Each structure stands twice: as C-alpha cells, then as structure tokens.
Amino acid sequence: MTNAPATSDVDLWADDILIDPYPTFAALRELGAVVHLTRSDVYAITRYDTIRDVLGDWETFSSTSIGFNPAVNEALAGTSLRSDPPEHTQLRAALSANLTPRALRGLAGRIEEKADATVRELASRGGFDGIDDLARAFPLDIIAELIGFPDEIKANMSRWGLAANEVVGPMNQRTAENFPVAGELYGWCSTVKAEDLAEGSIGRGIFDAEARGEIPEGSAGHIIHQYLAAGLENTVASFANILALFGRHPEQFAKVRDDESLAASALNEVLRYWAPIHAWGRITTRDVEIDRALVPAGSQIAILFGSGNRDERHYENPDVFDVTRNPIDHLSFGYGPHGCAGQGLARMEGLALIRALAKHVTSFAIGDEVRKPANTTRSIHELAVREVVPA
C-alpha cells in the first residue's frame, strides 16, 4: 500500500540548522526515508540506502533542478552539473579527462611537496590561522595552477566560489545577496578564451577539446566554471574539518601519527562525519514510490548527504568519530553518474594534508570553530590553531 510521505514544517535552511544540522537530520530520518518539508515544498531524502538509490536513478531523479530556485538552474544550463545523459555524458567526459588517476599521477608529487612545505612552515610558527593559512590557501593554489588562472582571477576565486555555492539554495537573503557576485563568475566564464589561461594548463586543454569538436561549442567556459564553483569551497570545508576534528579528538590524531597507513581511513571518516555539502537537488520526472510513500512527478528533491552519512541503519555508532572505521562508501562525493568528478584530486590533496600533519606536528590545540550559515557548503569560517608542537 502506498501512503503519503511523512511531513515536517522544519526549515532546512534556517540559520541554526545550517550551523548544526545533525539533530534535525536524525529527527527526519526517524520520520521516514523521504519527508515532505512543507515550508519549502521539497522532499528530503534522509537515509543512506535511499540516497544511493536516488543518485543512481537519473531517469527518475533528474539533475535539471539541482538548485532550489529557478534562476540558478537557468544559469547552470549547459553544464554537466545540471544535465542528464546523453548531454551529461559528453560534458562529463571533458570535465573528467584531466582528473583520472592516470592524468593526476604527475600532480601527486607536486601536491605532496606543497603540503609538506606548507605544514612544516606553519608548524614552526607555533600557531596559525587554520582557514586562511591552510584550509583555503592550499587548495586555492592547486586549482589556480591546475586551470591556469591568471593572477587577477586567482584573487577573486574565493569570493566567487563562496557565492556560486550560496546561490544554489532557495531564494532567501543569502541567495539574493550572492547572485551579483556569482554573476561575475558566470560572466567571466562565458567570455574566457584559451589564451587567457596558462599554456599547458588543464584549462587550455578543455578549450583544445572544444576546438576538436569533442564537446559542444561554447561549453569550455561552463566546464571551467565547475572546477571553481563545485570544487574549491567543498575542498576548503573538508580541509578545515580535518583540522577541527583532529583538534577535537587528539587521540584520533595520535593514531594517525603512530600509523600513517590510517591516513586514507581518516580522510574517509572526516568526509563521512561532517559532509561538506548541506543539501543538493534533483527533480522527479514521474510519480515515484519511495519506501512505500508516493512522491509526485515534478517534485523538488533535497538530498541530505550528511544525514545519510550518519544513518544508524548503515553505520555502527555513526555519531562517533573513529579514524579506524574507513567508510569508503560514504556519500560526500555523491554516487552514480553525477558522483564528484574531482574526487581523485580532492583525495590526493586531503591525503597529502593528513600525511604532512602527521609528519610535522606532534600535537596542537584549536580555538572555537566559528561557523556562519551557508545555503550549500557547511564550512568553518574561523579556526585558530594554537600550541603547535612541531615533530
């Protein structure tokens, strides 16, 4: 028998929920695998198995509405983020061509060296700004070099990346305030030319693919937009989470210091425990039954990655941070055709950071995490790293 979904009047984008969504996620999971949030008229997908099913079924759960307002979905038309196969397949191939393990192999050494030098220098100071000095500076430099951004664009990357993520939310004050800034990024990406990017960079390679007819004419700028908009802020959030969770749980950091082979497991656990993305959209193309509840065609879906990552039906003691868990199946990189194209690079950077911390830092303390409400990316905005004892 098919029933109507459970309902809740919770505002998924309320400030307090954006700061700490996990109590709300737990309550929603108890209501059902799908919950109709009446205040915003979206259907939240809350449980691990159901999230995987939704992400794997692109024909029923279309990516033509990944954002929670019409304007951002219109702006993202022509990108692999906001498209379904076969268009998505073609655009995704161009986006992923330079992000395969083979393509990234040559970068591994440079990333390890940069992480090592950065952490060694910061550790020698005895304390540093965890966000500006490390969590933001490290991936920003890597992406700027990768795409071949000129200095004037690099100077805008953080501001543009933050805005591009904010406008994916519903049309609230945060979205409205950030549309003009996100528009600067859209505008630059629509006019950028191959010669604007460094010779030999991945950015130049995307324009070469367009010239060869491998991707539609005019789509190179859209793909470059995704490297910045979809990649930078989520990576910054993840790196800040590494610092904060090791600082909160020094006994877990000690385990990684004692056994470097735990670095990959620790990274997976950080990504599981604090998902960098708050909510991401889909839209139903037909009436569909989810866990015996009927969701109508044309319904806006909100995928709650962080809720799935804490689902007690899938993970034992999910509210415990344990670097030995190794949850290789976490949801923070998505799943299915739209699984994060840049996850290989993100893993490479995250592993380099954890190994560098384990190598150069014996112990450290952190100040209070300062978070600001954000529609899409759940980030730490201020984090003081103190009492650093170099190794």
Side-chain angles (χ1 to χ4, degrees), residues 60-62 282-288 295-301:
T60 303
F61 301 94
S62 169
R282 292 288 191 272
I283 192 166
T284 54
T285 61
R286 61 178 179 86
D287 291 352
V288 58
V295 177
S299 296
Q300 179 66 54
I301 299 295

Side-chain angles (χ1 to χ4, degrees), residues 33-34 43-45 49-66 81-85 88 280-291 293-303 335-338:
V34 57
Y43 290 78
I45 309 300
D49 288 341
T50 310
I51 290 172
R52 291 257 299 201
D53 289 345
V54 167
L55 292 173
D57 184 1
W58 62 266
E59 292 175 303
T60 303
F61 301 94
S62 169
S63 290
T64 53
S65 185
I66 58 167
L81 282 175
R82 213 227 79 178
S83 60
D84 296 319
H88 170 264
W280 200 250
R282 292 288 191 272
I283 192 166
T284 54
T285 61
R286 61 178 179 86
D287 291 352
V288 58
E289 186 178 317
I290 300 176
D291 193 30
L294 182 65
V295 177
S299 296
Q300 179 66 54
I301 299 295
I303 299 169
Y335 177 75
H338 280 271

